[in-house]
Amino acid sequence: RSRSYQVEMYEESIKDNIIAVMGTGSGKTHVYVQMRLLVGSDGVEHWSDQETWDIVLRNFRIVVSTHAVLADALSHGFVTMERLALLIFDEGMT
């Protein structure tokens, strides 16, 4: 069951671009309604055309991926920042 602040974060992200900073264990990854997880075994490195990306992402409101998958999709123009409503950097390290 989602906590009220998780629901609020989700609802606000649908309306506008937001940046949410939440501590470890606060339930960032619990917001998974209509979620698609993109991992290496999906073969994303071979998705080389817009049609493939559109088909894979159709009907999904939330997509979870590595920074590399997102960076590649953005750099090739398959996904645009305007299409993104919420970015969560989980366990981000520099």
Side-chain angles (χ1 to χ4, degrees), residues 18-33:
I18 68 168
I19 297 174
V21 179
M22 301 167 66
T24 300
S26 62
K28 296 179 296 292
T29 55
H30 179 72
V31 184
Y32 58 82
V33 178

Side-chain angles (χ1 to χ4, degrees), residues 34-61:
Q34 297 179 3
M35 182 178 73
R36 172 72 159 100
L37 178 63
L38 301 181
V39 295
S41 61
D42 289 325
V44 294
E45 67 274 6
H46 301 294
W47 299 354
S48 58
D49 61 86
Q50 187 67 54
E51 182 180 10
T52 300
W53 281 91
D54 290 344
I55 289 169
V56 169
L57 299 179
R58 185 177 294 137
N59 299 321
F60 288 101
R61 306 273 315 221

